[in-house]
Amino acid sequence: GPRVAAMAMAMATARFATNARTTVRSRRDRRSGRKKERDRNGTANAGNGHALEGASSAKLWFMAVKPPMYSVAIVPLCVGAACAKFCAAKFETARFWMAMLGCVLTIAWLNLSNDAFDADTGVDVNKPESVVNLLGSKNLVLAIAWTSLLVGIYLFLRISTQAGDPSVLLKLLLAILLGYMYQGPPFRLSYKGLGEPICFLTFGPLATSAFFSLQLPGQPVPWTTWAASVLVGITTSVILFCSHFHQIVEDRAVNKFSPIVRLGTKRAAEVLQWSVGTFYALQVVFCTIGWLPITCGATMLPGMVLGKKLVDFVHTKHDLAREVFVSKYIAVRWHSLQGLLLVAGLLWAGRLSA
């Protein structure tokens, strides 16, 4: 009896020790795996350097001005106007083009001030296409930025007054305020990882519904506009999300907790896949329940090719800074194409119902 009990206890102790060693080894392997992924991300970024090192001055200025990025303001303007055209067959041309100019000036302020505020934190020290680095004067950049914003706000005030709907100006001013809180001191919400939610709200529901009301002042915003604004918000946020991949080392160095820093590039690539998939799933749902006309479902198909290209590209290049840098421009093209297709679907439905 005692001998059997002792043998059983010895065997149990041995099994416990074996399990403990296995658990410790497993935890060590998991920590080692995470460290290797961080080192790989860091090495990829540091080894490849910035994708624009050695680029010509003309190319750097083109990248600094960011012409494709102005689509983030043009798309909600066009989608809002298309929703109004679909709902009431009305289009105010003069207000539309004045709003377009105001949008361009506001985005110029957003881009320029972002470079100036980032110069304070040092996150753009290795960013050759920063306007501050190109001009060598943060104060000059800020002066141009704030002048652009003041002119833009004046245009928004004028068209809102012409329309006789104060909600237009209020929504646009709120969007501008959120834009400042995203990047400006003392808030710097982008450093807390809140850039994407702010981007979604600003360019999605706020801007799109404001531009709908600009065309149809005093009218309640219909579900069609809200549904379209959600889709616009998602594609715009994807652009910002993709812009973080190549900057993970710099962001981590200045404690900028972007989604990529928090998740790591591999998990972030998976989040991107789910985000693009959610966009198309929501579009199908909105068309099914009648919030969007069925023509919007038909026109979304060409955009799926570019959406898949974006997901596949980031999946294979997520930890290679020099190469994944391009993903944000693929995202801009996807955003612009989906906005164009959404507008086409709304106008097509309006023509069919006329």
Side-chain angles (χ1 to χ4, degrees):
R3 184 177 300 176
V4 173
M7 291 178 61
M9 184 175 294
M11 292 176 63
T13 302
R15 283 197 300 268
F16 177 80
T18 301
N19 291 338
R21 285 194 298 271
T22 302
T23 301
V24 170
R25 190 182 302 114
S26 178
R27 290 175 178 172
R28 187 186 303 120
D29 291 344
R30 286 198 297 269
R31 286 196 298 268
S32 176
R34 288 194 295 267
K35 183 177 184 301
K36 286 179 180 178
E37 181 180 356
R38 289 195 299 268
D39 292 344
R40 185 173 66 252
N41 289 338
T43 302
N45 281 273
N48 286 324
H50 197 283
L52 294 177
E53 287 180 355
S56 66
S57 177
K59 182 174 182 179
L60 289 177
W61 272 108
F62 179 85
M63 305 302 285
V65 175
K66 304 180 182 75
M69 299 300 292
Y70 287 83
S71 67
V72 301
I74 295 173
V75 167
L77 172 62
C78 294
V79 170
C83 288
K85 183 74 172 176
F86 166 71
C87 293
K90 183 180 179 182
F91 182 75
E92 295 287 345
T93 306
R95 292 180 201 164
F96 176 86
W97 288 110
M98 195 176 295
M100 178 77 76
L101 179 57
C103 288
V104 169
L105 291 170
T106 303
I107 295 300
W109 160 76
L110 192 67
N111 288 336
L112 291 171
S113 60
N114 183 63
D115 280 359
F117 294 140
D118 280 347
D120 289 333
T121 65
V123 71
D124 282 352
V125 66
N126 295 318
K127 186 179 179 181
E129 78 276 21
S130 165
V131 180
V132 174
N133 292 337
L134 288 169
L135 288 179
S137 173
K138 184 189 75 172
N139 291 334
L140 176 59
V141 172
L142 281 175
I144 298 172
W146 287 110
T147 300
S148 298
L149 179 62
L150 289 175
V151 177
I153 291 177
Y154 167 75
L155 292 173
F156 291 149
L157 173 62
R158 185 170 175 180
I159 58 178
S160 179
T161 302
Q162 289 176 354
D165 190 339
S167 71
V168 174
L169 182 62
L170 291 175
K171 289 178 180 178
L172 293 176
L173 288 178
L174 179 56
I176 291 170
L177 176 62
L178 288 172
Y180 178 82
M181 294 176 68
Y182 158 75
Q183 60 189 8
F187 308 100
R188 300 189 191 276
L189 296 182
S190 64
Y191 283 67
K192 298 176 174 61
L194 298 176
E196 282 70 18
I198 290 175
C199 188
F200 171 85
L201 181 61
T202 298
F203 294 101
L206 281 177
T208 307
S209 64
F211 294 130
F212 170 87
S213 297
L214 181 64
Q215 295 291 328
L216 294 177
Q219 298 295 318
V221 179
W223 283 112
T224 295
T225 303
W226 292 122
S229 74
V230 168
L231 299 178
V232 172
I234 291 174
T235 59
T236 311
S237 300
V238 164
I239 297 174
L240 180 60
F241 189 82
C242 289
S243 71
H244 298 307
F245 277 96
H246 71 288
Q247 290 185 316
I248 186 170
V249 172
E250 291 86 351
D251 287 348
R252 188 183 288 132
V254 297
N255 294 321
K256 182 176 181 180
F257 297 104
S258 71
I260 314 303
V261 171
R262 293 181 183 274
L263 297 170
T265 59
K266 183 176 180 180
R267 288 179 62 192
E270 295 171 356
V271 170
L272 174 64
Q273 180 178 359
W274 279 100
S275 299
V276 173
T278 299
F279 171 86
Y280 290 111
L282 284 176
Q283 192 158 0
V284 171
V285 170
F286 291 156
C287 291
T288 301
I289 63 179
W291 288 2
L292 287 177
I294 195 65
T295 51
C296 290
T299 57
M300 79 175 182
L301 297 176
M304 297 179 73
V305 177
L306 190 54
K308 185 178 185 303
K309 177 182 178 180
L310 173 62
V311 169
D312 291 344
F313 180 83
V314 174
H315 178 74
T316 56
K317 309 290 186 181
H318 62 85
D319 58 348
L320 301 174
R322 183 179 292 274
E323 297 181 44
V324 79
F325 174 80
V326 180
S327 65
K328 66 180 179 180
Y329 297 105
I330 302 176
V332 169
R333 292 200 295 271
W334 179 65
H335 162 75
S336 302
L337 177 60
Q338 289 297 165
L340 177 63
L341 294 173
L342 190 55
V343 169
L346 290 164
L347 296 180
W348 183 13
R351 181 176 292 274
L352 291 176
S353 62

